[in-house]
Amino acid sequence: MSTYLPTLKQLQYLVALKEHGHFGKAAESCFVTQSTLSAGIKELEALLDIVLVERTRRVVRFTELGNQMVEKAYRILREAEELSEMARSAGKPLAGDVRMSVIPTIAPFLLPRLLPQLRKERPELKLYLKEETSQAACDSLHHGHADCVLLAQPFPCGDVESEILFSDEILVAFPKNDPRDPPLQVDPAHIDETQLLLLEDGHCLKDHALAACNRPELRASARMMGTSLHTLVQMVDNGLGLTLLPKMAIDSGILNYTDIVARPLKSDRATRDIALVWRKNSPRRSEFQLLAEIMKGAQNWVSKAHE
């Protein structure tokens, strides 16, 4: 007795429908017509003799079994893609496409300094970048939408391997005319929680900043309202409070043309580790390790230029 095996194309259609929640948008993402995508999923359901998707005029709702199938489909599609990656990585390393997700508190400050060195050392590398929050970047990695992630650790990213590139200090930023005149090193105990401005949920820098202060009550009292570090800087510059910034942002000139001073935190936790992360047992592991070494070298060159 033969068993029907779903095709990769059918699984791609199923995953796209789950991600977009709309037949038209899912079809567009797969570069097929809506009728082709719908027919592919119906054929999959008929041959497996199960219902994966409940269809109504307004809502696409997956059954419990459909959701389980989607999770399995993610893994199958990712492993199928890794088959071609194995062949590609056996040739010249870092000579093809690499999809990298980068978190917003790293991307605008680090990439402009690193990418020229990457282009110089690996001109055949095609690096496709996507800016995402930490959790979204890790989800993209595990769903096969990203090959690697430029992330700030610690952060729970699942079953991954990583290479730390460097440590990034976290500093206190406040208006120059702050009447409290903070010392050259700011004790976290002296931070006024009612004045502390932090990024909204979803940004791991918020958790790193709170961990650096080691004051649990700050989580409840601080104002989580910044959508980006640039937004926080503008609020501080307008006298609305103080914030915590990574050194890489300051080195990149985020405080230029502002009346803001940044000083170190008096804390042994006031750092975050910038790391390149990839799926555990990835066939491109050696490529990502090489990429990490190139990025380390570029960062060291940049750091000396700032001294």
Side-chain angles (χ1 to χ4, degrees):
M1 183 176 71
S2 61
T3 301
Y4 173 75
L5 296 178
T7 67
L8 293 179
K9 184 64 69 177
Q10 289 169 337
L11 296 181
Q12 286 175 334
Y13 292 165
L14 189 67
V15 164
L17 183 60
K18 178 64 176 179
E19 290 180 346
H20 294 279
H22 185 277
F23 278 93
K25 293 178 181 178
E28 185 178 344
S29 72
C30 294
F31 304 101
V32 296
T33 64
Q34 182 172 331
S35 59
T36 297
L37 182 134
S38 180
I41 293 177
K42 282 184 178 179
E43 182 183 15
L44 176 63
E45 291 177 314
L47 292 170
L48 292 177
D49 194 24
I50 54 176
V51 175
L52 300 173
V53 182
E54 297 175 4
R55 301 162 176 83
T56 68
R57 287 187 176 182
R58 295 185 178 181
V59 179
V60 173
R61 183 179 294 108
F62 276 70
T63 64
E64 183 178 351
L65 183 57
N67 285 320
Q68 293 174 7
M69 287 277 290
V70 167
E71 288 304 309
K72 181 72 73 174
Y74 273 126
R75 293 196 292 272
I76 293 171
L77 291 172
R78 188 182 71 206
E79 290 180 5
E81 190 172 89
E82 287 178 350
L83 288 175
S84 61
E85 290 177 354
M86 288 175 66
R88 184 167 61 243
S89 62
K92 188 176 179 181
L94 293 180
D97 298 350
V98 172
R99 300 165 300 172
M100 179 189 290
S101 289
V102 190
I103 63 173
T105 58
I106 293 178
F109 313 114
L110 185 61
L111 293 180
R113 294 145 56 185
L114 291 181
L115 292 181
Q117 188 71 13
L118 278 175
R119 286 196 299 269
K120 179 181 177 182
E121 295 199 22
R122 296 288 163 170
E124 296 180 39
L125 171 65
K126 295 181 180 179
L127 189 61
Y128 295 94
L129 301 167
K130 184 176 183 181
E131 190 172 300
E132 299 183 286
T133 60
S134 301
Q135 189 57 60
C138 290
D139 289 343
S140 289
L141 181 67
H142 292 297
H143 288 162
H145 300 320
D147 301 311
C148 58
V149 174
L150 201 51
L151 190 68
Q153 295 180 328
F155 186 81
C157 199
D159 199 15
V160 298
E161 295 182 14
S162 64
E163 185 76 28
I164 295 176
L165 307 179
F166 60 93
S167 290
D168 187 29
E169 186 181 3
I170 298 173
L171 297 93
V172 185
F174 53 88
K176 289 179 181 177
N177 60 357
D178 191 315
R180 289 159 295 189
D181 189 25
L184 294 180
Q185 272 198 323
V186 180
D187 191 317
H190 296 156
I191 292 177
D192 184 349
E193 63 269 20
T194 65
Q195 294 295 306
L196 184 58
L197 305 171
L198 294 174
L199 291 171
E200 294 176 336
D201 288 340
H203 296 274
C204 62
L205 180 61
K206 180 198 72 175
D207 295 317
H208 296 151
L210 291 171
C213 295
N214 195 26
R215 290 177 55 193
E217 75 277 10
L218 287 182
R219 185 174 294 275
S221 303
R223 288 176 284 175
M224 281 69 158
M225 57 193 308
T227 56
S228 72
L229 291 182
H230 289 89
T231 302
L232 289 179
V233 165
Q234 290 303 310
M235 287 192 284
V236 173
D237 199 32
N238 281 277
L240 298 178
L242 56 88
T243 192
L244 298 166
L245 295 175
K247 189 173 185 295
M248 72 163 63
I250 296 169
D251 289 344
S252 296
I254 196 171
L255 298 184
N256 289 354
Y257 311 109
T258 69
D259 289 320
I260 297 176
V261 174
R263 290 181 183 168
L265 266 174
K266 192 176 181 180
S267 168
D268 56 5
R269 299 185 180 187
T271 60
R272 58 178 189 162
D273 290 329
I274 308 304
L276 186 66
V277 178
W278 58 90
R279 291 185 295 273
K280 195 171 184 179
N281 300 321
S282 168
R284 304 181 73 178
R285 181 175 185 266
S286 60
E287 283 192 281
F288 298 138
Q289 289 177 323
L290 175 59
L291 179 58
E293 289 304 313
I294 294 173
M295 296 175 80
K296 284 182 190 178
Q299 171 60 23
N300 290 337
W301 181 86
V302 169
S303 297
K304 290 178 182 177
H306 280 281
E307 292 176 356

